[in-house]
Amino acid sequence: MEERLRKVPDIVIRRLPLYLRVLDNLDHLEMPIISSEQLAQRLGFLSGQVRKDLSYFGVFGKQGVGYQTVSLREEIRRILKLNREIRVGLIGAGNLGAALVGYHQKNQEHRPLEIVALFDVDSQKIGQQIAGVDIYAVSELEKQVVAFQIKMMILAFPAVDAQMTVDRCIQAGVKSFLSFVPASIKVPPGIKLQTADVSLELQSLAYYS
Amino acid sequence: MEERLRKVPDIVIRRLPLYLRVLDNLDHLEMPIISSEQLAQRLGFLSGQVRKDLSYFGVFGKQGVGYQTVSLREEIRRILKLNREIRVGLIGAGNLGAALVGYHQKNQEHRPLEIVALFDVDSQKIGQQIAGVDIYAVSELEKQVVAFQIKMMILAFPAVDAQMTVDRCIQAGVKSFLSFVPASIKVPPGIKLQTADVSLELQSLAYYS
DNA sequence: TTATGTGAAGAGTTTCACAGCA
DNA sequence: TGCTGTGAAACTCTTCACATAA
């Protein structure tokens, strides 16, 4: 069963970090082996879902036994390409952008996703730093994306010019986006955009109030 | 076709705010009527999806014509229960919490979702305000949830005690949650939890880098 | 003629249940 | 015996295509 011979559904990819979090939080000496049932229970899933998800990428468990926690963690890291540094940029050094940088540095310190550059249009902010990360002018986007080899971009600016800014990033080599921008953005095939628009989330939650 | 006689899929509910955003951004004098095709194009959807989604709630369009922009907007607001004030709380008055309050007040000023109370455990912060909203002690959670009639809670604190905190909110009457907490949280049927864990989103995006 | 509303078909995802291996 | 890996079944969601109404 070759990895990615069958196209893996996005929804499976989005569950892998959840498995990773469970495995990270385990005491590997006390619990060197975990079953799909135990893993599932900690996430509120069914065990079959866990086994099915993992089966897209190969055979990781031992029948009658379970999964080795340490090696399963390494396999999932490898699948997600978290076994090498990935350089991340962030456009919009406002309150939200600054909070995201801080949040990321707190929660991600042992992960290879590093925010290496911030971008803003405000000339007051350009040249400053937030949490040790330099702020560059948005006019330098292409130059710095290439220089830093940025492959992932967080979008935390107001909706103005969102599509054009994203297009420029893609031209310069960015492959994936996490967008907090309150506007619809289109990306070509092969580029991944995940939206995290807080206003939209809250509005849909209102239905369940 | 009675509203919610058939159970509406969550995924349909999550698209309604997108339709709402398009309708809000239109000039209603220049464009008093919109077709499902025009609406879809602005979001990168297919027109059939738009019509199917709306059909869960009733008949809003005119055959051969389209939808009246103003009345469709009002209908969607009503469906999402955005036609009356909804009081929202936020636990965790740190950088992310403060940024979310600011972001919300900027992007939501014409929406009836109002953040009415913040909660934190830091005694330095209790009694202070952020963007005009009072910070209360987490120990007062139940009391203030009832007093303010809070039905929706944003979770922006570190993972410690997340499940217990959510359970307390539910006991006090909270119906839906938007969680930025990096931990798995379980909620009973009838309660809605939407996760927005930035670390998880970035980790899954790494796969596409 | 145009564009909606909707069954039906198609695609995608989850759950089941069991063969097979340790 | 116990738990994985996996086809098949069940279920859900999207897309299609057309009857219908303005």
Side-chain angles (χ1 to χ4, degrees):
Chain A
M1 184 187 339
E2 281 306 303
E3 190 163 322
R4 235 158 311 142
L5 245 179
R6 14 172 157 169
K7 153 87 174 133
V8 181
D10 285 353
I11 195 145
V12 172
I13 299 299
R14 297 200 58 196
R15 279 193 293 265
L16 295 183
L18 293 167
Y19 302 143
L20 205 45
R21 191 168 66 193
V22 171
L23 294 169
D24 276 331
N25 290 341
L26 288 178
D27 181 332
H28 299 282
L29 293 175
E30 284 223 342
M31 198 158 187
I33 285 171
I34 193 167
S35 68
S36 60
E37 179 58 38
Q38 291 170 309
L39 230 171
Q41 222 151 52
R42 283 157 205 255
L43 292 164
F45 296 173
L46 293 171
S47 63
Q49 170 117 259
V50 174
R51 295 197 300 279
K52 189 62 129 182
D53 283 355
L54 296 176
S55 78
Y56 280 98
F57 306 99
V59 169
F60 303 121
K62 271 209 176 69
Q63 298 192 341
V65 181
Y67 304 88
Q68 284 215 280
T69 52
V70 173
S71 68
L72 182 58
R73 184 183 62 183
E74 291 317 307
E75 291 289 356
I76 295 177
R77 279 199 186 150
R78 184 185 52 76
I79 293 163
L80 286 173
K81 301 187 192 157
L82 293 171
N83 54 349
R84 52 175 175 70
E85 185 175 296
I86 297 179
R87 284 167 291 281
V88 182
L90 187 155
I91 307 177
N95 285 338
L96 183 61
L100 290 172
V101 176
Y103 173 96
H104 177 78
Q105 291 187 351
K106 246 185 236 153
N107 291 280
Q108 282 292 114
E109 43 198 22
H110 56 304
R111 285 269 173 281
L113 292 159
E114 202 187 346
I115 298 180
V116 294
L118 309 181
F119 298 91
D120 206 294
V121 290
D122 182 350
S123 59
Q124 298 284 301
K125 290 178 183 162
I126 296 161
Q128 306 282 310
Q129 286 194 333
I130 291 175
V133 185
D134 288 319
I135 303 176
Y136 298 92
V138 171
S139 58
E140 287 189 32
L141 202 48
E142 291 86 348
K143 181 179 153 190
Q144 300 299 343
V145 164
V146 172
F148 281 107
Q149 292 276 302
I150 291 170
K151 295 289 174 231
M152 192 184 295
M153 193 68 85
I154 300 171
L155 310 175
F157 57 97
V160 187
D161 293 333
Q163 184 67 57
M164 195 196 68
T165 306
V166 165
D167 293 344
R168 288 173 57 197
C169 290
I170 294 170
Q171 278 298 315
V174 175
K175 295 282 180 255
S176 60
F177 297 87
L178 177 58
S179 171
F180 292 84
V181 175
S184 288
I185 296 170
K186 282 152 195 153
V187 293
I191 303 293
K192 184 76 189 166
L193 181 130
Q194 186 68 46
T195 62
D197 185 327
V198 178
S199 309
L200 296 182
E201 305 284 6
L202 290 177
Q203 285 176 32
S204 63
L205 281 178
Y207 180 80
Y208 304 94
S209 297
Chain B
M1 184 185 338
E2 283 304 304
E3 187 164 322
R4 236 158 310 142
L5 245 178
R6 11 171 159 171
K7 153 87 174 132
V8 182
D10 286 352
I11 196 146
V12 171
I13 299 299
R14 297 200 57 195
R15 279 194 293 265
L16 295 182
L18 292 166
Y19 301 144
L20 205 45
R21 189 168 68 193
V22 170
L23 294 168
D24 276 330
N25 291 340
L26 288 177
D27 181 331
H28 299 281
L29 291 175
E30 285 223 340
M31 198 157 187
I33 285 170
I34 193 168
S35 68
S36 59
E37 179 58 37
Q38 291 170 309
L39 231 171
Q41 221 151 52
R42 284 159 204 253
L43 292 163
F45 297 172
L46 293 170
S47 63
Q49 170 117 259
V50 174
R51 297 198 300 279
K52 190 60 129 180
D53 283 354
L54 295 176
S55 78
Y56 280 97
F57 306 100
V59 168
F60 304 120
K62 272 209 176 68
Q63 299 195 342
V65 181
Y67 303 89
Q68 284 214 282
T69 52
V70 173
S71 67
L72 182 58
R73 184 183 60 181
E74 292 317 308
E75 291 287 358
I76 295 177
R77 280 199 185 150
R78 184 184 52 75
I79 294 163
L80 286 173
K81 303 190 190 153
L82 293 170
N83 55 350
R84 53 177 173 71
E85 184 174 296
I86 297 179
R87 284 167 291 280
V88 182
L90 187 154
I91 307 177
N95 284 338
L96 184 60
L100 290 172
V101 176
Y103 173 96
H104 177 78
Q105 292 187 349
K106 247 184 234 156
N107 291 281
Q108 282 291 114
E109 42 196 25
H110 55 305
R111 285 271 174 278
L113 291 160
E114 202 187 346
I115 298 180
V116 294
L118 309 181
F119 298 91
D120 207 294
V121 290
D122 182 350
S123 59
Q124 297 285 301
K125 291 178 182 161
I126 296 162
Q128 306 284 309
Q129 286 194 334
I130 291 175
V133 185
D134 287 320
I135 304 176
Y136 298 93
V138 171
S139 57
E140 289 188 34
L141 202 48
E142 291 86 349
K143 181 179 155 190
Q144 300 301 340
V145 164
V146 172
F148 281 108
Q149 291 276 304
I150 290 170
K151 294 288 175 234
M152 191 184 296
M153 192 68 83
I154 301 171
L155 309 175
F157 57 97
V160 187
D161 293 333
Q163 184 68 57
M164 195 196 67
T165 306
V166 165
D167 293 344
R168 288 174 57 197
C169 291
I170 294 170
Q171 278 298 317
V174 174
K175 294 280 180 256
S176 60
F177 297 86
L178 178 58
S179 171
F180 291 85
V181 175
S184 289
I185 297 170
K186 282 152 195 152
V187 292
I191 303 293
K192 184 76 187 166
L193 181 129
Q194 185 68 45
T195 62
D197 184 328
V198 178
S199 309
L200 296 182
E201 305 283 7
L202 290 176
Q203 286 177 31
S204 64
L205 281 177
Y207 179 79
Y208 305 94
S209 295

